């Protein structure tokens, strides 16, 4: 574990008071993105001119080659934050790291962690550091996500939100993280121009979020839909309604469509596997991870976004509703939603305890997703709408909107 004992505890002491007399201290962090493969190279670039501490999330460890991390760079994860604390009065690692560092760089920044930062969530070492970060110090983020996620309107909103809070954005190239050399050069230039020279004024490193559209040519939604059965993703969250209804929902849609079933880990506590129609493959988080072996391989959540004409989440839990409203994406289902083409229709059928449904926050979340074009099929006293009603609403939409559009 990295020692943070040399961090300043003097109140009111300037962030940059003694920085000219020592090497700069840079906190480098990595999220769960394929671009984390380059994290070792990023650490090497910064280690040439700064003292580096590395913070990683658990998903990022799927991609980072530990042998690529330069010798002497401390790699810290969630467990270190907990192990550091034994009793009241002990130091807290994420707080000590905030005091120790001059600059923080998150590269790559995943869509999920971007959503967490915007929402002020702090459920791991990295997001706890961000939540406690001194806004007089500079933070840089280098997003990396599939182009569908990057071009999602929610991404633009979230990028604007973090920029408004003074976080500098180093834009990706077609969704791919900026090269480590460019990230290093940007931060080093800032350090020399702003910290060593202590120039006041505006921060020139705020980079505007790209709003370029990925939609070119004919819409994927209706390219050949009239010549085949519609393709529908039917997804289930962790709700008691999953137990009774998910198999029946799938059966109803299979009567007129090709169906792909997606489930969250929580929903598997409730779903009766024998109720799933024979021959229907049920996809979960493990399938998304197992699909990817190396750079260039397909990503299941992206392929499903391209394949489907419509998505239906039934039941939608209060937790997943909140994640969608906040742009979080830490499982297969929410990754599909995050990358979903807004020109295609998505339906959600919430299911939750009546106390949760009547909570004012639920209404805010529902308004948020409806503003993004997601169609809400309201529950009855908190219980999910009947499968027959969900099926009828979606089938009517398909016949009235998609087939009609195709024949024009």
């Amino acid at each position: 574990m990295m020692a943070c004992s040399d961090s300043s505890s003097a109140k009111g002491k300037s962030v940059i008071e003694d920085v000219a007399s020592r090497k700069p201290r840079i906190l480098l962090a990595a999220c769960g993105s394929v671009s984390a493969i380059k994290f070792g190279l990023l650490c090497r670039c910064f280690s040439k001119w700064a003292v580096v501490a590395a913070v990683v999330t658990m998903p990022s460890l799927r991609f980072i080659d530990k042998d690529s991390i330069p010798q002497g760079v401390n790699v810290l994860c969630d467990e270190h934050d907990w192990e550091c604390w034994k009793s009241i009065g002990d130091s807290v690692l994420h707080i000590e790291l905030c005091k120790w560092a001059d600059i923080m760089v998150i590269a790559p920044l995943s869509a999920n962690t971007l959503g967490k930062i915007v929402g002020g969530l702090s459920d791991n070492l990295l997001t706890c550091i961000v939540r406690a970060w001194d806004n007089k110090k500079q933070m840089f983020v280098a997003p990396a996500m599939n182009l569908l996620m990057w071009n999602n309107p929610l991404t633009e909103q979230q990028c604007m939100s973090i920029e408004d809070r003074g976080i500098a954005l180093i834009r990706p190239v077609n969704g791919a993280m900026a090269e480590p050399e460019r990230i290093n050069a940007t931060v080093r230039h800032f350090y020399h121009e702003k910290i060593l020279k202590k120039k006041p004024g505006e921060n020139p490193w705020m980079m505007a979020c790209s709003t370029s559209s990925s939609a070119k040519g004919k819409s994927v939604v209706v390219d050949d839909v009239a010549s085949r059965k519609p393709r529908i993703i039917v997804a289930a969250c962790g709700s008691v309604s999953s137990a009774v209804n998910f198999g029946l929902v799938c059966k109803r849609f299979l009567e007129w469509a090709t169906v792909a079933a997606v489930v969250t880990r929580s929903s598997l506590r409730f779903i009766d596997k024998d109720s799933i129609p024979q021959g229907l493959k049920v996809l979960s988080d493990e399938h998304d991870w197992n699909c990817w072996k190396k750079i260039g391989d397909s990503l299941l959540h992206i392929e499903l976004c391209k394949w489907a004409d419509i998505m239906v989440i039934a039941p939608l839990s209060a937790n997943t509703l909140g994640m969608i409203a906040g742009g979080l994406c830490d499982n297969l289902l929410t990754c599909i939603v995050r990358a979903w083409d807004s020109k295609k229709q998505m339906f959600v059928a919430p299911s939750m305890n009546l106390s949760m449904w009547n909570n004012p926050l639920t209404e805010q979340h529902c308004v948020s997703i409806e503003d993004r074009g997601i169609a809400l099929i309201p529950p009855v006293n908190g219980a999910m709408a009947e499968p027959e009603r969900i099926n009828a609403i979606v089938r009517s939409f398909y016949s009235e909107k998609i087939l009609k559009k195709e024949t024009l």
Side-chain angles (χ1 to χ4, degrees), residues 255-268:
E255 292 170 1
W256 58 281
T258 302
V259 172
V262 172
V263 298
T264 64
R265 186 171 299 174
S266 299
S267 72
L268 294 176

Side-chain angles (χ1 to χ4, degrees), residues 220-407:
V220 177
V221 179
V222 294
D223 56 351
D224 64 337
V225 74
S227 63
R228 58 166 172 78
K229 293 176 75 173
R231 300 167 181 161
I232 300 181
I233 296 174
V234 181
C237 304
S239 165
V240 176
S241 292
S242 302
V244 180
N245 293 313
F246 188 63
L248 184 55
V249 171
C250 292
K251 286 178 183 176
R252 291 291 176 264
F253 281 106
L254 281 170
E255 292 170 1
W256 58 281
T258 302
V259 172
V262 172
V263 298
T264 64
R265 186 171 299 174
S266 299
S267 72
L268 294 176
R269 296 174 179 268
F270 305 105
I271 293 173
D272 176 9
K273 293 181 181 178
D274 294 335
S275 71
I276 303 297
Q278 190 173 7
L280 178 62
K281 187 169 184 179
V282 178
L283 302 169
S284 60
D285 299 353
E286 287 69 23
H287 293 98
D288 202 18
W289 285 113
N290 293 338
C291 182
W292 189 90
K293 301 297 181 184
K294 62 183 185 304
I295 291 178
D297 286 353
S298 298
L299 297 171
L300 179 59
H301 60 273
I302 298 300
E303 294 304 315
L304 285 169
C305 286
K306 295 176 181 177
W307 172 85
D309 303 310
I310 297 171
M311 183 173 184
V312 180
I313 307 176
L316 172 69
S317 66
N319 185 58
T320 300
L321 171 61
M323 293 179 73
I324 293 172
L328 306 188
C329 47
D330 65 354
N331 57 30
L332 175 58
L333 191 160
T334 51
C335 281
I336 294 170
V337 175
R338 193 68 171 77
W340 190 252
D341 184 346
S342 60
K343 295 186 294 297
K344 299 181 183 183
Q345 188 60 58
M346 182 184 299
F347 294 84
V348 297
S351 174
M352 61 192 76
N353 179 278
L354 192 56
S355 295
M356 287 186 172
W357 177 249
N358 289 329
N359 187 297
L361 192 59
T362 302
E363 182 178 0
Q364 294 175 28
H365 288 161
C366 287
V367 170
S368 174
I369 66 171
E370 286 186 305
D371 286 346
R372 284 151 53 187
I374 298 174
L376 182 71
I377 303 175
V380 179
N381 293 325
M384 186 183 82
E386 290 298 319
E388 290 77 7
R389 179 165 179 253
I390 296 170
N391 176 68
I393 290 172
V394 176
R395 190 166 190 175
S396 176
F397 166 84
Y398 173 77
S399 300
E400 291 295 319
K401 301 293 184 180
I402 297 185
L403 286 183
K404 185 177 180 180
K405 185 175 180 179
E406 180 66 17
T407 56

Side-chain angles (χ1 to χ4, degrees), residues 136-187:
K136 295 188 294 293
K137 301 182 185 182
Q138 187 61 59
M139 182 184 299
F140 293 84
V141 297
M145 59 193 79
N146 179 277
L147 195 56
L148 292 174
M149 288 186 172
W150 177 249
N151 287 327
N152 188 300
L154 186 61
T155 303
E156 181 183 358
Q157 296 173 22
Q158 292 177 337
C159 287
M160 291 173 64
S161 175
I162 64 171
E163 286 186 309
D164 286 345
R165 285 152 56 180
I167 298 173
L169 180 70
I170 302 175
R171 289 180 293 175
V173 180
N174 293 326
M177 185 182 80
E179 288 300 318
E181 291 81 2
R182 181 182 166 224
I183 296 170
N184 176 67
T186 300
V187 176

